[in-house]
Amino acid sequence: MMNIFKKSPILYLAVSLFFTSCAKLDLVPPSEGSSENWYTDQTEIEMSLNDLYRTYVWNLEVNFQTDRWTDDWAQRLVVYEYSAGAITSEWAESEDTWLNTYKGISRANRIMESLERAAETLPEEVINRLRAEAAFFRANFYGRLITLYGDVPFFKQTISIEEAFALGRHDAKEILKEVYADFDYAIENLPEENNASEVNRVNKGAAIAMKARVALWMSDWEVVKEETQKLMASEKYALHSDYERYFQSKKAESETIFSIPRSRDLSIVWSSKNFMPRTIGGNAVAQPSWELLAIYPCTDGLLIDESPLFNPKDPFENRDPRLAATIVEFGSEFLGVIYDPDPRAERVLNVNTGQMVENKDTKGYTQHASYNGLQLRKYADQNWLTYQADNPVIIMRYADVLLMYAEAKIELNDVDQSVYDAINEVRARAYGVGVGEVSQYPAIVEKNQSELRKVLRIERRIEFAWEQRRFWDLHRWKEFENALARPYYGLLPITEMKSKLINTDLWFWPITPTVDENGYPNLDELYTKGYSSKLGDRKFDAKQYLWPIPNKEILINDNLEQNPGY
């Protein structure tokens, strides 16, 4: 029997979830329960609900997982399978996503069944709230599945072994109706706000926002518009006044609609070492890409190949403030030390001690310094110096609501002043001014649908850089072929760098990269003219818009048909 379970995650989860352990939110998992004592009272049901939070972020919302497959990512000479168009039916990411998502669905189903049995002992209000929380997560899990896999097995109750073997693929459009129904139940029964001790539990606003996100993934624009309008009209959320500081905050902010906290005190952290410069003890393994650096507009609102303000030798000058809040500006202080990848800067200032220290972040010191000279600033605070970052996992924030609303209106060709206001509110915040102070930031003005679509997509890219949103955007826009059409580039080896850039005073970029008509930077000329190195080739395969159903599922269940091309 165990051999069968190992081959089929759905089968295993359907019949054995009752015996698995739960985890308190933000705590290490408690000891294992048994079929005799789990899900018998409110406390145990809430503990099992807590585990849904962990399941939700387990695979695709942590450690920049999905960002690794996009054009925002650079990692030495590494090209991940997804970016290389090389995934198969045994791709580990697909197997893990399938397993963990169905694990969440099975747990949500079990909780709902337990609540039916608890109806005689728990108040109706409590029953409805707990059921709404379970429904919220089940809706998100199925929304994720149909977005990634299309038609998938669907069940809303615990199933037998025979029923598990008989499961085939259910129409994604029909599943979407069930997803909306679960969200609507959650919206009706979740509290408007949570207690101060439960600020990270889902509430009505989170359910509305996440319904809008699933609708966004499915290009169901009317639903996106309706749900985001509700949140905007509620006036319960507002943009944080400071874009950079928002991502360093550990407390509940007015912009945050749904997040999962981490805690150094409880050892719920993630390692920041691979994303930090070497001078302060990091490994400089992965960085924002040159393409991301190139796409931020200048302060006049124009892209770098259009603006007279852009200086390729100083790519941070006169740029949208979100650039320096996301990528460390050359010559600026970062975690107590001046960051400068210029090989001429052999020593840099330790701001805390006032002493000059050896600059380990240049190719002149080591080949393992950042391969493209860039470093991530977003999220970084003093805790990163211990390599134990405790930044919360921000799953939904109000800026996303505004830009989802704007996109829905654009795609419906229903462009009015509210569309400009939504985009401009996000952009004005980046400049630290009010949306009405149009002389202080490059406000969006009259544009046609096609122009606005391009503006919106670039705005989403720079607003949500390294927030696990880029993959989902490229996926639903069917734009991976354009985003990954070219290799990704980085710095020359030190000898060539000195002869071609340093000694000729052409550091950092000798020429201005272009941006194509779809809004994708083109850095090919830097390479063809010998000014950069090619770090990796990318080639997206269109079949990957539908992920492969794990091969083990296909082998064990004759009723499951694989997605095309695998």
Side-chain angles (χ1 to χ4, degrees), residues 508-535:
F508 167 73
W509 280 340
I511 56 177
T512 297
T514 59
V515 180
D516 69 22
E517 60 183 5
N518 295 312
Y520 297 97
N522 183 343
L523 297 109
D524 290 345
E525 191 177 3
L526 283 168
Y527 178 70
T528 58
K529 290 189 173 181
Y531 296 136
S532 69
S533 295
K534 182 167 67 173
L535 301 182

Side-chain angles (χ1 to χ4, degrees), residues 76-77 287 290 330 339-343 361-364 366-367 369-374 488-494 496-497 501-502 507-510 527 530-535:
R76 295 184 175 174
L77 303 177
Q287 300 81 34
W290 276 5
F330 302 159
Y339 178 76
D340 193 346
D342 187 336
D361 289 299
T362 78
K363 290 296 183 183
T366 174
Q367 64 174 335
S370 170
Y371 276 42
N372 65 6
L374 305 185
Y488 75 98
Y489 302 107
L491 296 172
L492 291 167
I494 185 59
E496 288 186 73
M497 192 190 307
L501 299 179
I502 303 300
W507 170 271
F508 167 73
W509 280 340
Y527 178 70
Y531 296 136
S532 69
S533 295
K534 182 167 67 173
L535 301 182

Side-chain angles (χ1 to χ4, degrees), residues 279-490:
T279 302
I280 57 176
N283 291 334
V285 170
Q287 300 81 34
S289 66
W290 276 5
E291 290 152 299
L292 182 59
L293 172 64
I295 197 55
Y296 287 80
C298 291
T299 53
D300 58 7
L302 300 176
L303 297 175
I304 61 173
D305 60 346
E306 301 171 338
S307 174
L309 300 178
F310 182 68
N311 176 9
K313 294 182 181 180
D314 186 359
F316 291 87
E317 184 182 20
N318 299 322
R319 304 291 295 282
D320 185 299
R322 284 169 290 188
L323 172 57
T326 303
I327 304 174
V328 181
E329 183 175 1
F330 302 159
S332 69
E333 182 271 333
F334 182 58
L335 297 178
V337 175
I338 300 298
Y339 178 76
D340 193 346
D342 187 336
R344 292 170 294 190
E346 296 180 357
R347 300 180 71 81
V348 291
L349 177 67
N350 183 316
V351 176
N352 296 323
T353 65
Q355 302 296 312
M356 299 298 289
V357 298
E358 196 166 23
N359 185 5
K360 300 178 182 180
D361 289 299
T362 78
K363 290 296 183 183
Y365 180 88
T366 174
Q367 64 174 335
H368 297 303
S370 170
Y371 276 42
N372 65 6
L374 305 185
Q375 289 291 163
L376 178 69
R377 178 181 285 275
K378 202 172 198 176
Y379 309 104
D381 59 20
Q382 292 302 307
N383 288 336
W384 281 41
L385 293 172
T386 66
Y387 316 135
Q388 295 185 354
D390 60 354
N391 308 86
V393 182
I394 301 171
I395 296 172
M396 176 64 73
R397 58 188 181 91
Y398 187 58
D400 208 347
V401 170
L402 292 171
L403 294 186
M404 284 194 291
Y405 169 78
E407 183 172 357
K409 294 272 284 185
I410 291 168
E411 294 304 326
L412 291 167
N413 203 15
D414 182 22
V415 176
D416 57 20
Q417 186 59 42
S418 69
V419 174
Y420 299 107
D421 290 344
I423 300 174
N424 284 335
E425 187 172 346
V426 173
R427 181 171 287 195
R429 184 269 297 273
Y431 284 79
V433 299
V435 66
E437 299 176 74
V438 293
S439 64
Q440 303 299 310
Y441 74 99
I444 305 298
V445 294
E446 294 289 333
K447 292 182 180 295
N448 62 37
Q449 184 189 35
S450 178
E451 293 171 333
L452 267 178
R453 181 182 292 118
K454 179 178 176 180
V455 167
L456 183 282
R457 292 182 176 186
I458 292 175
E459 196 72 20
R460 284 192 64 86
R461 183 175 187 180
I462 63 178
E463 175 69 20
F464 304 118
W466 280 56
E467 291 185 49
Q468 306 281 7
R469 303 276 73 86
R470 180 66 173 166
F471 167 84
W472 299 97
D473 284 348
L474 292 173
H475 183 274
R476 64 190 175 80
W477 293 332
K478 298 295 185 290
E479 281 288 322
F480 267 111
E481 292 92 337
N482 290 326
L484 302 178
R486 304 178 181 92
Y488 75 98
Y489 302 107

Side-chain angles (χ1 to χ4, degrees), residues 31-254:
S31 58
E32 299 231 358
S34 71
S35 59
E36 286 77 29
N37 61 19
W38 276 115
Y39 304 165
T40 58
D41 61 27
Q42 181 176 345
T43 299
E44 289 164 0
I45 291 172
E46 287 183 338
M47 287 177 68
S48 190
L49 277 168
N50 289 347
D51 199 62
L52 291 177
Y53 291 82
R54 182 166 61 96
T55 302
Y56 182 84
V57 301
W58 185 263
N59 185 254
L60 295 182
E61 294 284 350
V62 297
N63 202 23
F64 310 120
Q65 188 63 32
T66 59
D67 285 320
R68 299 166 191 258
W69 310 328
T70 76
D71 50 349
D72 285 354
W73 183 273
Q75 185 175 337
R76 295 184 175 174
L77 303 177
V78 174
V79 178
Y80 284 88
E81 292 168 283
Y82 194 85
S83 304
I87 69 173
T88 70
S89 60
E90 296 184 350
W91 185 39
E93 297 295 343
S94 182
E95 290 186 355
D96 290 346
T97 299
W98 184 275
L99 172 63
N100 287 313
T101 307
Y102 272 112
K103 175 183 177 181
I105 289 167
S106 296
R107 184 175 295 278
N109 289 341
R110 174 65 70 179
I111 290 169
M112 291 185 181
E113 291 166 349
S114 298
L115 287 168
E116 291 176 5
R117 295 193 296 271
E120 295 181 0
T121 59
L122 294 180
E124 181 179 3
E125 181 181 354
V126 173
I127 293 282
N128 291 340
R129 177 179 64 80
L130 297 176
R131 182 180 176 85
E133 204 164 341
F136 168 88
F137 280 105
R138 185 170 66 183
N140 276 292
F141 292 139
Y142 272 122
R144 175 184 291 177
L145 284 172
I146 61 177
T147 299
L148 296 177
Y149 298 93
D151 300 344
V152 295
F154 179 75
F155 54 98
K156 295 177 65 176
Q157 64 285 318
T158 302
I159 56 178
S160 68
I161 294 176
E162 292 76 16
E163 290 170 327
F165 273 120
L167 283 174
R169 301 181 66 168
H170 197 83
D171 187 341
K173 293 180 181 178
E174 295 301 314
I175 296 175
L176 182 61
K177 295 178 183 177
E178 297 283 352
V179 167
Y180 287 163
D182 270 350
F183 273 128
D184 288 342
Y185 183 86
I187 292 167
E188 181 179 355
N189 291 283
L190 285 172
E192 290 279 352
E193 297 178 337
N194 292 307
N195 298 326
S197 61
E198 295 184 334
V199 294
N200 296 100
R201 299 198 76 88
V202 296
N203 58 21
K204 193 181 300 291
I208 295 171
M210 295 305 289
K211 180 182 179 182
R213 174 170 288 168
V214 172
L216 184 81
W217 289 346
M218 303 302 290
S219 300
D220 193 350
W221 303 116
E222 283 289 351
V223 173
V224 177
K225 183 182 74 170
E226 291 170 5
E227 300 304 320
T228 52
Q229 279 179 324
K230 293 176 185 176
L231 290 169
M232 294 161 66
S234 74
E235 298 184 348
K236 290 183 176 296
Y237 304 99
L239 298 180
H240 190 280
S241 60
D242 189 310
Y243 180 82
E244 181 176 350
R245 291 181 62 187
Y246 171 69
F247 297 101
Q248 299 166 357
S249 175
K250 307 300 188 296
K251 66 178 184 178
E253 299 287 355
S254 61

